[in-house]
Amino acid sequence: MPNVWAVTRNEEKYPEPESFHPERFFKSEGTLNEDTVLYAFGFGRRICPGRHMGDLMVWQVIASALATFNISKAKDKNGNEIDVDPNACTDSFACYPLPFECTITPRSAQAVSLIRSAASVARESLK
């Protein structure tokens, strides 16, 4: 079984691998570099045949969410931001972040309309 955890923490390729630095995936002129995450879809003969569609769908979902919602830190009862602990993860074979609080609000009235319309279409398709 490949050690994907080690691959993603190669300090020669990703300096400070435990720190959040999205700019590491951009070229100096601001365009995306050629770094891909193909290792997330397996290796060799057993690589996922749906990897291209999966990669594009994740991109589309993230872009849609960021286009329609403001996502920020949650605030406590005194109005102070609640920091997210980047090290709060499960301690198991499949490591993932523990639940945390955040604030998600629509960016505009037009975004609210778009979100409600999409939800309505999704509900109808489930019938």
Side-chain angles (χ1 to χ4, degrees):
M1 180 172 288
N3 188 348
V4 175
W5 185 90
V7 170
T8 62
R9 283 156 182 81
N10 177 350
E11 291 193 17
E12 290 178 18
K13 187 170 184 177
Y14 307 109
E16 300 179 53
E18 298 297 327
S19 299
F20 181 69
H21 295 295
E23 63 274 8
R24 73 180 79 204
F25 300 104
F26 289 100
K27 295 178 185 175
S28 58
E29 68 272 4
T31 60
L32 286 173
N33 65 22
E34 301 303 316
D35 194 6
T36 61
V37 292
L38 291 179
Y39 49 78
F41 296 101
F43 299 89
R45 291 186 349 202
R46 304 217 188 285
I47 195 163
C48 176
R51 65 190 174 278
H52 303 297
M53 186 175 73
D55 193 37
L56 291 173
M57 289 301 295
V58 168
W59 179 265
Q60 186 176 15
V61 168
I62 291 171
S64 296
L66 293 176
T68 54
F69 293 104
N70 288 318
I71 304 170
S72 58
K73 292 180 179 179
K75 295 187 178 181
D76 63 17
K77 61 184 175 188
N78 297 321
N80 300 315
E81 287 185 341
I82 301 171
D83 286 329
V84 176
D85 180 1
N87 298 315
C89 296
T90 60
D91 186 20
S92 61
F93 181 73
C95 180
Y96 54 89
L98 294 172
F100 59 91
E101 292 185 43
C102 66
T103 300
I104 303 173
T105 55
R107 288 186 176 268
S108 65
Q110 183 181 8
V112 171
S113 175
L114 182 63
I115 294 161
R116 288 191 173 143
S117 174
S120 177
V121 168
R123 270 195 237 66
E124 287 298 316
S125 70
L126 293 174
K127 291 181 179 179

